[in-house]
Amino acid sequence: MRLLLVEDDTSLAAGLSLALRNKGFAVNHVARGDHALLAVQTDPPDLMILDLGLPDIDGLDVLRQLRNTNRTIPVLILTARDTTSEKIAGLDLGADDYLAKPFDIDELDARLRAMSRRLGSATGSILTAGDLSLNLATRELTKGDQPVDLSRREYALLRALMENRGKVLTREALEGKLYAWGEEVASNALEVHIHHLRRKLSADVIKTVRGIGYSLRLP
Amino acid sequence: MKSIRSYLVIAVLSAITLTSFVAALYGYRTSVAAAQTLFDAQLSDTASLIAALLAAQPPQTTPEADRGLTPSAGQAAFQIWTEDQQRLILYSADAPATAIAPFEPGFHDRNFNGQRWRVLVRHAQASDHWILVAQRADTRYLLADSIVMESVLAVVISLPVAALFIWIIVGHGLRLLARLASQLRHKKAADLSPLDLDDPPEELAVIVAAVNALLNRLARSFARERRLTADAAHELRTPIAALKIHLHNLAAKLPPGDPTLAQLQAEATRLEHLITQILLLYRMEPEHYRATMEVLDLTEIARQTVANRYAEFECKEQEIHFEGHSQPILGDRFAITTLVDNLVANASRYTPMGGQIAVATSATTERVILEISDSGPGMAESERERVFDRFYRIGGDRNPASGSGLGLSIVKLIADLHRATIRFGASAFGTGLSVRVEFPLSEEAAVATPDGSA
């Protein structure tokens, strides 16, 4: 996965480049907005991390110009500013995600992976957790070597849980995934689908956090 | 000077009294002079009358026989002497047998019969007699006294009335000063808005202008100070981000669990937390924060906040209890999330390993309540007032559990923004603290979900 890092702070850029390379990204770093636009023209990357506080052109202008010429590259905005209005402005201009400094490298990694999955590339479209492997392109789940049949709703729930592995997803968040199918959902629907998933995988894969929600727990 | 009003009343009354008495004194002298002229004219008339009578009918009697002529009130007396000044021809009963004044024509002041008298001596040409007419001097002073006494008495009687009027008038004149004082007295410590006084008199306008200029300078310098803090905190975000990345990269090269690295990471986290809290505090100040009020489900936000922090509870093996149905409130999503997050983080921070934390939402007929309790050491009564102070830490700086010392200040700002109240109490876990945030029940929120559930 080729990544263009646009960041003017030398120290942060160096550390970030190393960390992202360790995570398997091929990182190309530029420190100026015009260089970023040039880099996109000559050698379009798969993903882009864009700092808003650049010395020459404002990051939001870089994004605007980028979207005029190239609409597809997923962009994650990184900034020391964190006001809601700027976040909205960035997302309105076509940024795919937004992270305020200082950030957690694992959080950045997770966001980048989620963005790359949306690209639908072969490597980016497979989610793994323990012995579970979920192919987002074909919607097929394998447990070890065994394929497991999932209903549409079970797939939606499991994907959300796998994408947020280790985190707790609230009832509301998970129900949102069910509602996304545009149908009425009974009040105990979530419990029913979780129950089915547990039966198909194993009882201890999905942990109930009482009163809060559910979490995917795998070694 | 204790009171301008008392001072003015006393000073004005004294001035009135003093000038009144000076005027009375002058009036007395004038009255005496006027009485002198008047009574002298009277004496002169009496002398002329006697002279005319003598001319018409010269007395032939001896002095002894004449004693029968007695006027009687004792206010006046007269003597009629022969031309050679040797013989007293006629005199009033009050008059002595000797001359009551030297035989020099004109007015004289003389004493006889134990009284002071005014005597007019006249030489009557027609009948060749000396006429001496006298009148008691105190009569004329008595008249002047009574004229002056009346005017002074009027002043003395009217003084209390004048005092009352002056008291009222001065009070009325000072009412703008009183209003100004009241405005200053009721000004909140953080309120640096200018004073507002309708059409102040020029004396007060100077004070109001000076105070407003001072307030303005203070406001600007506070704003500058706060902006400096915020800017500084902002500028620190990139270096902290770099620091965290470098620590992450270093961790990949060191054996797992390196104690120095762990401490470095803990310090970086602390620094990050402090910067975040300073920025949040700055952002949440009423003059900066533009809240977007919407109908929110307090329970959903609380649940999401607890879910986000779940890793920390697990890390400290803390048991979390969550209870509550959908509770709509009118609020700003970012602010409410920040409020709940700060309280939940505090509960976890001050509760020891393996402790318990309960988060519950509920509603009464008037309020929506968020209650966060823990089984930590609790909070002393004396600390409950101070915890909203910025940079105040329970247990002081040496408490290893302490955070930035800004969390509850932020919570208070947000609670004020939502007209919510914060109460501390004992938790149901026996030990520990319970924090209750009570939001006013919003009609708008109630209408959005009439049955109280989403």
Side-chain angles (χ1 to χ4, degrees):
Chain A
M1 189 75 34
R2 294 171 337 116
L3 189 148
L4 179 64
L5 171 65
V6 190
E7 166 64 63
D8 69 314
D9 190 88
T10 325
S11 172
L12 178 62
L16 203 50
S17 297
L18 177 61
L20 290 171
R21 276 182 199 122
N22 286 344
K23 298 236 177 235
F25 292 95
V27 183
N28 179 22
H29 167 234
V30 294
R32 293 166 53 100
D34 50 359
H35 294 174
L37 290 168
L38 196 69
V40 171
Q41 272 178 18
T42 53
D43 184 17
D46 297 321
L47 294 172
M48 183 165 163
I49 297 178
L50 177 64
D51 180 53
L52 286 189
L54 294 174
D56 56 334
I57 321 174
D58 185 80
L60 289 176
D61 284 329
V62 174
L63 184 61
R64 194 176 290 119
Q65 290 182 41
L66 175 75
R67 284 297 180 239
N68 285 340
T69 53
N70 183 323
R71 310 202 68 84
T72 56
I73 298 174
V75 176
L76 183 140
I77 288 177
L78 203 58
T79 178
R81 308 173 225 167
D82 67 345
T83 63
T84 316
S85 58
E86 280 194 337
K87 183 172 171 174
I88 292 168
L91 296 179
D92 279 352
L93 281 172
D96 298 81
D97 210 343
Y98 188 103
L99 211 51
K101 294 177 189 173
F103 50 87
D104 233 39
I105 184 68
D106 291 328
E107 180 68 27
L108 178 66
D109 184 40
R111 304 276 187 109
L112 290 174
R113 303 231 169 255
M115 274 164 57
S116 69
R117 275 196 296 277
R118 272 173 240 142
L119 287 175
S121 68
T123 48
S125 64
I126 295 190
L127 273 175
T128 56
D131 62 347
L132 297 179
S133 177
L134 187 65
N135 188 322
L136 304 183
T138 60
R139 296 189 173 172
E140 282 167 353
L141 174 73
T142 54
K143 185 178 190 303
D145 297 330
Q146 299 295 311
V148 182
D149 269 344
L150 291 179
S151 74
R152 288 181 311 173
R153 285 171 182 165
E154 286 160 10
Y155 166 80
L157 288 181
L158 185 62
R159 178 176 171 169
L161 287 166
M162 286 180 78
E163 279 180 331
N164 294 282
R165 204 183 144 180
K167 292 182 189 167
V168 177
L169 289 178
T170 63
R171 297 188 48 87
E172 288 88 354
L174 287 171
E175 276 168 357
K177 302 289 176 192
L178 296 182
Y179 283 118
W181 294 89
E183 295 160 35
E184 278 295 312
V185 179
S187 62
N188 66 340
L190 184 60
E191 282 76 10
V192 171
H193 292 300
I194 294 287
H195 175 72
H196 287 163
L197 272 175
R198 280 180 173 149
R199 213 174 48 196
K200 287 179 180 178
L201 307 173
S202 72
D204 56 355
V205 169
I206 299 169
K207 184 190 171 194
T208 302
V209 183
R210 215 152 56 83
I212 312 285
Y214 299 93
S215 174
L216 190 74
R217 291 301 150 100
L218 284 168
Chain B
M1 196 190 301
K2 285 220 170 61
S3 146
I4 292 183
R5 196 181 200 181
S6 314
Y7 167 78
L8 282 179
V9 172
I10 292 168
V12 170
L13 275 184
S14 306
I16 289 178
T17 310
L18 190 67
T19 47
S20 297
F21 280 100
V22 169
L25 197 65
Y26 177 76
Y28 178 72
R29 288 179 53 176
T30 318
S31 303
V32 167
Q36 198 90 331
T37 316
L38 186 71
F39 283 104
D40 283 355
Q42 225 177 352
L43 269 182
S44 181
D45 285 349
T46 310
S48 303
L49 188 65
I50 293 172
L53 285 172
L54 285 174
Q57 190 183 13
Q60 301 296 325
T61 49
T62 62
E64 285 75 17
D66 298 327
R67 283 188 182 268
L69 288 173
T70 50
S72 48
Q75 297 295 319
F78 70 90
Q79 289 179 326
I80 297 168
W81 290 80
T82 53
E83 171 64 29
D84 57 4
Q85 305 172 359
Q86 295 304 313
R87 213 160 55 87
L88 180 62
I89 310 170
L90 205 63
Y91 61 97
S92 64
D94 296 345
T98 54
I100 53 175
F103 292 95
E104 291 164 19
F107 288 99
H108 304 273
D109 292 304
R110 279 289 176 277
N111 295 329
F112 60 88
N113 285 0
Q115 297 288 345
R116 183 92 179 145
W117 297 79
R118 179 83 168 162
V119 186
L120 174 62
V121 177
R122 187 172 286 177
H123 184 238
Q125 307 283 344
S127 57
D128 273 348
H129 288 101
W130 285 94
I131 302 167
L132 284 72
V133 201
Q135 191 178 35
R136 288 259 296 268
D138 57 356
T139 323
R140 46 190 72 189
Y141 289 104
L142 276 176
L143 180 69
D145 280 356
S146 76
I147 291 173
V148 170
M149 267 315 284
E150 268 170 42
S151 65
V152 169
L153 205 62
V155 171
V156 171
I157 290 172
S158 63
L159 269 182
V161 181
L164 184 67
F165 274 121
I166 294 167
W167 180 258
I168 293 168
I169 290 165
V170 169
H172 187 71
L174 290 177
R175 78 195 185 287
L176 276 172
L177 193 64
R179 204 180 301 159
L180 181 69
S182 145
Q183 272 198 30
L184 284 170
R185 196 165 44 238
H186 292 115
K187 226 166 180 17
K188 294 212 171 76
D191 178 14
L192 296 176
S193 61
L195 297 171
D196 177 30
L197 209 60
D198 293 338
D199 192 21
E202 54 187 283
E203 293 87 346
L204 274 190
V206 178
I207 295 175
V208 170
V211 169
N212 281 347
L214 180 67
L215 283 172
N216 187 22
R217 275 209 306 280
L218 268 179
R220 271 200 312 232
S221 91
F222 280 151
R224 203 162 44 232
E225 189 199 336
R226 273 201 301 265
R227 206 165 46 239
L228 180 75
T229 314
D231 286 350
H234 234 105
E235 289 303 316
L236 285 169
R237 299 175 77 148
T238 301
I240 290 173
L243 183 66
K244 283 182 69 181
I245 291 281
H246 294 311
L247 283 172
H248 173 86
N249 292 337
L250 188 62
K253 290 180 185 166
L254 292 174
D258 183 281
T260 308
L261 180 72
Q263 290 210 331
L264 270 174
Q265 280 169 332
E267 289 305 316
T269 306
R270 206 165 98 175
L271 200 56
E272 179 187 0
H273 177 65
L274 186 59
I275 296 297
T276 310
Q277 294 288 74
I278 289 174
L279 285 170
L280 264 180
L281 189 65
Y282 178 73
R283 258 182 85 177
M284 283 301 157
E285 298 212 318
E287 59 266 45
H288 299 116
Y289 198 67
R290 285 183 38 213
T292 318
M293 293 296 186
E294 55 182 324
V295 177
L296 305 168
D297 182 357
L298 181 63
T299 310
E300 183 192 331
I301 289 179
R303 189 177 277 133
Q304 186 59 58
T305 308
V306 170
N308 291 346
R309 290 214 172 252
Y310 200 76
E312 290 169 43
F313 301 132
E314 279 199 312
C315 196
K316 289 187 81 174
E317 293 166 22
Q318 290 162 341
E319 198 179 327
I320 182 123
H321 310 267
F322 191 97
E323 210 173 303
H325 301 289
S326 175
Q327 298 294 354
I329 60 165
L330 195 63
D332 176 272
R333 181 171 289 278
F334 177 77
I336 295 294
T337 305
T338 304
L339 177 142
V340 180
D341 189 55
N342 268 297
L343 291 177
V344 168
N346 265 359
S348 176
R349 184 173 295 126
Y350 289 103
T351 301
M353 290 283 287
Q356 311 217 55
I357 296 165
V359 177
T361 60
S362 58
T364 66
T365 48
E366 286 164 356
R367 325 210 120 228
V368 174
I369 298 154
L370 170 75
E371 182 160 9
I372 295 170
S373 338
D374 60 58
S375 64
M379 192 195 289
E381 235 9 275
S382 58
E383 290 194 300
R384 290 182 187 174
E385 287 170 18
R386 292 208 56 199
V387 288
F388 293 122
D389 293 355
R390 289 169 189 192
F391 294 111
Y392 182 76
R393 295 177 181 86
I394 292 170
D397 287 338
R398 280 175 297 172
N399 186 344
S402 69
S404 66
L406 294 174
L408 284 176
S409 304
I410 296 169
V411 166
K412 181 81 168 70
L413 279 178
I414 296 171
D416 289 347
L417 190 71
H418 290 84
R419 286 182 291 120
T421 55
I422 303 168
R423 280 197 213 147
F424 298 106
S427 91
F429 294 118
T431 65
L433 181 71
S434 154
V435 186
R436 269 168 83 98
V437 186
E438 302 190 357
F439 295 89
L441 198 67
S442 139
E443 267 180 38
E444 206 175 320
V447 166
T449 49
D451 59 353
S453 66

